[in-house]
């Protein structure tokens, strides 16, 4: 009972911190984007200002919308992304801290795959309920993206889980704790590392698609379909979607880090930081984790969104269903064959 | 929350929706030029949005034609309160060279309340930024009035 209370308290704290960190990382993202285009860029706290402003703006519910779905969808999006963030980050923090708890094996990759779908589905429901043709087009595009992204993402997850089932002797191969404590790169030959590289590449293409950023923001294309899914949203509900987007970006980049670069400070250097009898390694680990998340965010989202234009929806679907699926299967095969070939 | 605080929060993050009410496109290109790295309007928190529902400022270019009059009015009502209207270019401010035209319903302030006029054919990006600063000043003077009243 006491452990459960601790988990709940940690989750709530993590959620509040996650929302702040997510918004802050968005500010960093905009600053970096400005830097890449040799601009000054907005202040780091700009996402907070935007949110503050949206909270005081009038909230319009369109007359021909399905009101309860229109109001419920942003709340559901924020709730599900919050659960996603907790499911991804909390087991990892437990692992970094080296403590055990009832939550440890609960963070399961399959659960995360399904949780990733709920924000997208609530966006789709909200879009269809808006009663605007633009939002309907956006919702249809989101359905296409959702279905095509699922395939390479599932293959990456299966590849990682297969590797874990080899490394951890078959115990909880889908658990995030197993993934974090056995980094995928350990004990790999050159072929396996190449395969892992292909998986990283695939997941890097999946990140902007899952978070709805250029070049895969067809569903929210502001110039062609008037912000698509969000066309009718204003005020508080738009702010909720902004929060959900920030939290989801943070959660997904955190998932990326946990899947492929889970090394803590002790894993990397082999010693712990002890100052005046207190062990500060955990604090340093959290800092390292945040830095890694920011690096992944900058490389996979900011740099890509500055460098590329929006793809057509058919091109995006083809890219995910054919090219990236093939790429991830190739990565899986390379990882699978690696121990067999190195053993020869 | 009182109006002064509200307006102050708004001035740090102004999202603009651009509507073309029969412009020749020169002003529209200058608005885009304002967002380019050279002038970088984003550093003030200004950005262009794709739908009036997200907007705080309505940027209207062009003299108002008879055909688009109703649509401009409709878009104005689609923007959630509080909102500002900025007219960009001489046509929208005074009807410009189209004074005698039978097809023009303008200027824009015959249709919707306008807060700031930016003259020029087309106005330079500096002028557009100055116009937005004027809108800020208007917000601030409203703040002061509000503070004096309360």
């Amino acid at each position: 009972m006491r452990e459960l209370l601790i988990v709940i308290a940690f989750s709530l704290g993590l959620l509040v911190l996650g929302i702040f960190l997510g918004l802050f990382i968005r500010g960093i993202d905009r600053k970096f984007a400005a830097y890449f285009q040799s601009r000054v860029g907005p202040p780091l706290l700009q996402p907070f200002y935007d949110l503050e402003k949206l909270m005081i703006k009038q909230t319009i519910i369109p007359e021909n919308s399905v009101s309860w779905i229109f109001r419920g969808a942003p709340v559901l999006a924020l709730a599900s992304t919050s659960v996603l963030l907790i499911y991804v980050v909390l087991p990892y923090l437990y692992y970094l801290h080296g403590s055990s708890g009832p939550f440890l094996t609960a963070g399961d990759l399959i659960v995360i795959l399904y949780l990733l779908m709920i924000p997208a589905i609530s966006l789709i429901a909200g879009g269809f309920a808006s009663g605007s043709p633009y939002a309907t087009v956006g919702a249809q595009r989101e359905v296409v993206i959702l279905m095509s992204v699922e395939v390479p993402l599932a293959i990456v997850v299966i590849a990682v889980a297969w590797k874990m089932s080899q490394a951890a002797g078959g115990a909880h191969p889908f658990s995030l704790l197993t993934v974090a404590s056995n980094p995928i790169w350990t004990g790999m030959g050159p072929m396996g590392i190449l395969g892992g590289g292909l998986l990283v590449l695939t997941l890097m293409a999946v990140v902007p698609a899952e978070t709805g950023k250029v070049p895969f923001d067809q569903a929210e294309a502001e110039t062609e379909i008037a912000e698509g899914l969000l066309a009718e949203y204003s005020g508080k509900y738009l702010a909720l979607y902004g929060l959900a987007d920030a939290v989801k970006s943070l959660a997904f980049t955190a998932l990326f880090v946990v899947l492929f670069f889970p090394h803590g400070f002790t894993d990397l250097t082999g010693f712990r930081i002890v100052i005046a009898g207190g062990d500060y390694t955990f604090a340093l680990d959290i800092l390292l984790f945040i830095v890694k998340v920011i690096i992944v965010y900058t490389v996979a989202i900011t740099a890509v969104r500055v460098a590329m234009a929006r793809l057509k929806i058919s091109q995006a679907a083809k890219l995910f269903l054919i090219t990236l699926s093939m790429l991830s299967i190739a990565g899986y095969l390379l990882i699978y064959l690696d121990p067999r070939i190195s053993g020869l | 929350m009182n109006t002064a605080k509200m307006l102050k929060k708004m001035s740090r993050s102004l999202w603009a929706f651009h509507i073309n009410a029969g412009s020749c496109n020169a002003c529209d290109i200058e608005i885009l030029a304002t967002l380019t790295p050279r002038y970088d309007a984003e550093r003030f928190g200004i950005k262009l949005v794709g739908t009036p529902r997200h907007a705080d400022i309505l940027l209207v270019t062009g003299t108002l034609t008879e055909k688009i009059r109703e649509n401009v009015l409709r878009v104005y009502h689609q923007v959630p309160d509080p909102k500002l209207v900025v007219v960009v270019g001489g046509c929208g401010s005074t009807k410009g060279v189209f004074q005698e035209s039978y097809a023009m319903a303008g200027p824009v302030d015959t249709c919707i309340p306008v807060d700031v006029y930016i003259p020029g054919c087309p106005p330079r990006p500096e002028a557009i930024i100055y116009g937005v600063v004027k809108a800020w000043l208007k917000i601030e003077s409203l703040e002061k009035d509000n503070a004096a009243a309360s």
Side-chain angles (χ1 to χ4, degrees), chain A residues 51-336:
Chain A
L51 208 70
E52 229 177 21
K53 178 207 68 185
L54 284 176
M55 291 310 282
I56 58 160
K57 288 278 283 187
Q58 184 194 8
T59 307
I60 299 175
I61 309 290
E63 213 170 69
N64 54 351
S65 66
V66 186
S67 176
W68 65 274
I69 301 179
F70 187 82
R71 287 157 188 270
V75 180
L76 182 63
L78 183 59
S80 53
T81 46
S82 311
V83 175
L84 178 67
L85 181 78
I86 292 165
Y87 256 96
V88 173
V89 179
L90 202 58
Y92 183 60
L93 289 185
Y94 264 93
Y95 158 71
L96 286 179
H97 192 244
S99 60
S100 63
F103 203 74
L104 266 180
T105 47
D108 190 310
L109 283 172
I110 301 290
V111 177
I112 287 167
L113 268 187
Y114 280 102
L115 276 175
L116 271 171
M117 288 175 77
I118 299 178
I121 286 172
S122 59
L123 262 172
I124 292 165
F128 277 129
S130 301
S132 153
Y134 291 119
T136 309
V137 172
Q140 285 163 352
R141 290 181 174 192
E142 181 76 25
V143 173
V144 172
I145 290 280
L146 179 70
M147 290 196 302
S148 45
V149 164
E150 246 2 60
V151 178
L153 182 62
I155 295 172
V156 169
V157 165
I158 290 167
V160 171
W162 183 83
K163 173 77 180 148
M164 289 309 124
S165 71
Q166 302 295 304
H172 303 298
F174 283 101
S175 155
L176 270 183
L177 175 73
T178 322
V179 178
S181 47
N182 306 290
I184 187 168
W185 309 104
T186 44
M188 287 254 240
M191 238 171 115
I193 288 179
L194 182 68
L198 291 182
L199 293 184
V200 169
L201 209 66
T202 311
L203 203 60
M204 268 183 54
V206 171
V207 171
E210 281 286 348
T211 52
K213 302 287 189 309
V214 180
F216 303 113
D217 68 332
Q218 292 88 357
E220 288 152 38
E222 64 231 342
T223 37
E224 27 172 327
I225 50 169
E227 313 258 356
L229 288 164
L230 305 175
E232 291 295 330
Y233 277 98
S234 56
K236 285 190 200 74
Y237 295 116
L238 188 60
L240 279 182
Y241 268 137
L243 277 181
D245 179 50
V247 175
K248 190 176 180 185
S249 307
L250 177 66
F252 203 79
T253 41
L255 178 67
F256 192 113
V257 169
V258 175
L259 279 184
F260 288 110
F261 311 106
H263 312 269
F265 183 74
T266 320
D267 303 331
L268 286 176
T269 57
F271 56 87
R272 302 181 73 82
I273 304 291
V274 180
I275 301 167
D279 196 340
Y280 292 96
T281 322
F282 185 51
L284 204 68
D285 274 338
I286 292 179
L287 207 65
L288 190 68
F289 177 55
I290 292 173
V291 169
K292 279 192 281 192
V293 164
I294 291 175
I295 289 174
V296 168
Y297 201 104
T298 313
V299 174
I301 295 182
T302 316
V304 173
R305 100 183 155 92
V306 172
M308 291 185 76
R310 186 179 307 123
L311 295 177
K312 281 190 277 186
I313 184 71
S314 54
Q315 291 172 326
K318 211 179 274 176
L319 180 71
F320 282 113
L321 281 177
I322 298 174
T323 317
L324 286 171
S325 298
M326 289 298 158
L327 207 65
S328 50
I329 288 176
Y332 182 19
L333 278 181
L334 283 176
I335 290 182
Y336 176 76

Side-chain angles (χ1 to χ4, degrees), chain A residues 39 50 53 58 227 232, chain B residues 13 42 50 53-54 56 81:
Chain A
R39 288 189 283 127
D50 288 350
K53 178 207 68 185
Q58 184 194 8
E227 313 258 356
E232 291 295 330
Chain B
S13 135
E42 203 193 349
R53 296 278 193 226
H54 301 187
D56 309 302
D81 287 325

